[in-house]
Amino acid sequence: MASAWQRLGFYVSLLKRQLNGGPDIISWGRRVNPGSTRGIYSATGQWTQEYTLQTRKDVEEWWRPRIKEQASKISEADKSKPKFYVLSMFPYPSGKLHMGHVRVYTISDTIARFQKMRGMQVINPMGWDAFGLPAENAAIERNLHPESWTQSNIKYMRKQLDRLGLCFSWDREITTCLPDYYKWTQYLFIKLYDAGLAYQEEALVNWDPVDQTVLANEQVDEHGCSWRSGAKVEQKYLRQWFIKTTAYAKAMQDALADLPEWYGIKGMQAHWIGDCVGCHLDFELKVDGQVTGEKLTAYTATPEAIYGASHVAITPSHRLLHGHSSLKEAFRKALVPGKDCLTPVTAVNMLTQQEVPVVILARADFEDSLDSKIGIPSTSSEDTIVAQTLGLSYSEVIETLPDGSERLSGSAEFTGMNRQDAFLALTQKARRKRVGGDVTSGKLKDWLVSRQRYWGTPIPMVHCPACGPVPVPLEDLPVTLPSITSFTGKGGSPLAAASEWVNCRCPRCRGAARRETDTMDTFVDSAWYYFRYTDPWNTHSPFDAALADHWLPVDLYIGGKEHAVMHLFYARFFSHFCHDQKMVQHREPFHKLLAQGLIKGQTFRLPSGQYLRREELDLTGSVPVHAQTKEKLEVTWEKMSKSKHNGVDPEEVVEQYGIDTVRLYLLFAAPPEKDILWDVKTDALAGVLRWQQRLWSLVTRFIEARASGEVPRPELLGAQERAEARKLGEYRNSVISQVTAHFTEDFALNSAISHLMGLSGALLQAPHRLLLHSPEFEDALCALTVMAAPMAPHITSELWAGLALVPRKLCTHYAWDAGVLLQPWPAVDPQFLQQPDVVQMAVLINNKAYGKVPVPQQVARDQDRVQELVLQSELGARLLQGRSIRKAFLSPRTALINFLVQE
């Protein structure tokens, strides 16, 4: 009698003939290596019974190029399908990927594959945030041009992404340092300038004396040092370019209410913007009645009462006392440290034409880090004291009526209005006249975008002695970087030394002029890149409105928590601006946000603070010590970093464990928003390794059973066996529902894997007759393989190829002539929709699982009833009786209740 495996060989050849002429998705041709026993079914035609290290390598080597080719054939242009735009934050091309990159791109790749299987039209683009100081530093240290260093790194990192089996929409690739991209960054800057939202002003800036550039406040650490060079930051006044982000503060604050919850990120955005209760207003400065040509902007939380202003106050640290202002000496002469000082300078409100004195207050700082504010005694007791102390005149402009309501008096056309109506009318008029009025908070600053470096987007402005600052005509864009061969890292911007590039003609009067030599903060490049992905090859505009309206908003934006404030704020600002410019329909660029946690490695530090390499450690004792001095070490988990010697090379890890194992580990080790402590000795890695072996074993058992020669006949199953089969069908339904919800709602892919592990465990326990005769078993196994495919595409592709060769299948609703990643996502089978009478409710105490309690289905969504039943149960009486329960959380979907108790 022929063995099962011999008969399987016959069925393989039969199936190959059946599939001849079918869609060329899976290649059924076999490659046999003479004299070699290595190989997998897809390569040799023989099924490998054990999932060994070598099998894993063979599987990934075979399937990686084929999955890539398969993905490239899927059209993104099918507008009949609903769209899904998944976007992961693009990397800076530093030269090598780190594990943080691998985690974020594994998450986006997994979700993109899932959405394609759901029938969505998906884009998952990739590009390079390619400008920045590291390239310029590399040019100085290694005598390389920043462009060649950057392009070399991009080429290498692209290969790394490819080796990781990540399938991005590479036809949409963008690189921010290329002129065809930064041309449109410059275009948007000019649009901002034309709208009055880009301006130049002298400002006290953070100056990095090593890198010779300006730093944003967020780029200075808690010790006052540069985040990149580590140098002690100095304060310096320079004329800088700003983008007026405060103009959109109120709109961006209000828009947060319409967005879904962003794992606490909405709160961070709201805190960053602050309470939008007031506005800035512009003033012209005079001395002795003479207009000086200088302006001052000051904040007030009660602009409706502006006609009652008594003064404009500035701090002793204000730029007018320390910069290059023509009024500096007048202010300094008036300054008496420690006292409120009246100055000879007056300020004319450009909205009301009122003239009030400028006062230097004794206080070093105002609330919210303001350095100028409008004094209005009618609404501030503090301003009343200043005005009375200095003998300043003012009017009471708030009148309280008998019913307690307040009205304005002595306020020109706003007289008689209630305060709320006057606030809206006055700020609107100020905006219309472009003299302030944008409703904002006192804490939010405009965005300083000037950088004194070469490797950045040139600011497209020309400085003319006659015309002042003039934008480069749009038809002359891009203003490309000049070729500079020598980088010293000393002095100001290298562009200032490129005389042929700097000296130019004024676009307006054609007279001699000079180009702006500052380049833009790289946050500007990344503030609009999600638009360009929708139309990356457009040579006539940044993007086509119809394409942007089709793809936006981004359905899911994935990136590190460290970018949850600044980058997100700037990206939202650009989107609001483009909406107002009629360039795009949507105001908000991102619908759902997934801010994934860090990957941390273990660090070993001497008492002096020095971090040690692994080879400098002695780990033989109970605690790690320095190998030479035997000093005890401080052992912690920190973000992976070269300087801390706690990084992990992704390529080495993949070589050791395989692509699918690393993917599954990163997805399973923690929920995506939580940090992962990288330790391959943990249960997570062993768990995903074992699970892959169990999946292989499951499919092997199924193939063997169906190759036994016995014809599958469901009618041969007895009543008890049919009941078991039905339970498998119900379990399959439940897992499909749970896993789909995790993919679409909370992105808890670790929980999704746990559900799939549970289903595989149930299938492994099924008796042989169910493998042979049960459609429910076959369907559950196929659904399991399909659902695991987005997370582990290589092993599941091989498993599917094995399942496809099985003859006389009982399930005909799968596309057996197509690969696993081309299967439709499993649907819940309506015949198994009947809810069980009892739900097994998992009981957690302080986030630790202690068991399950049966709860009637009809009360499983009622937290009070569930809590009562748990407390009445034997488990509840044993573990919770007499303890102080602070709070309980019920999750009906996952059948879980978590008690937080006082320890």
Side-chain angles (χ1 to χ4, degrees), residues 231-273:
K232 195 73 176 175
V233 172
E234 301 170 358
Q235 299 293 295
K236 184 175 181 178
Y237 275 93
L238 288 176
R239 196 156 177 78
Q240 304 286 287
W241 283 99
F242 290 83
I243 291 177
K244 199 171 185 180
T245 50
T246 51
Y248 280 87
K250 184 71 164 63
M252 291 171 66
Q253 183 75 282
D254 292 347
L256 289 171
D258 298 326
L259 294 169
E261 186 47 55
W262 282 355
Y263 297 97
I265 304 304
K266 278 171 64 171
M268 294 166 69
Q269 284 281 298
H271 178 74
W272 175 265
I273 295 169

Side-chain angles (χ1 to χ4, degrees), residues 318-446:
H318 195 278
R319 64 175 177 84
L320 290 170
L321 282 83
H322 300 278
H324 301 91
S325 167
S326 61
L327 302 174
K328 181 163 74 171
E329 288 308 311
F331 280 115
R332 287 196 162 189
K333 282 181 183 177
L335 176 65
V336 178
K339 292 184 67 176
D340 295 339
C341 307
L342 187 62
T343 75
V345 182
T346 57
V348 179
N349 187 316
M350 296 174 71
L351 178 67
T352 66
Q353 299 306 309
Q354 283 181 295
E355 187 170 346
V356 294
V358 178
V359 170
I360 306 171
L361 293 190
R363 291 168 53 192
D365 294 298
F366 299 156
E367 62 277 4
D368 291 329
S369 302
L370 291 166
D371 63 2
S372 61
K373 66 175 187 175
I374 304 169
I376 305 178
S378 293
T379 57
S380 167
S381 58
E382 185 181 304
D383 292 342
T384 302
I385 293 169
V386 171
Q388 291 176 349
T389 302
L390 297 177
L392 307 179
S393 62
Y394 60 89
S395 303
E396 291 288 351
V397 295
I398 305 292
E399 182 181 320
T400 304
L401 301 182
D403 63 0
S405 62
E406 293 179 320
R407 294 285 185 273
L408 291 185
S409 62
S411 299
E413 73 259 40
F414 307 105
T415 299
M417 289 186 180
N418 64 44
R419 290 185 66 174
Q420 184 177 3
D421 290 345
F423 180 102
L424 294 172
L426 188 138
T427 53
Q428 187 177 47
K429 182 178 179 181
R431 289 195 298 274
R432 192 169 63 248
K433 287 176 154 282
R434 287 196 176 185
V435 292
D438 294 307
V439 179
T440 184
S441 69
K443 67 186 290 188
L444 185 67
K445 305 292 185 187
D446 284 337

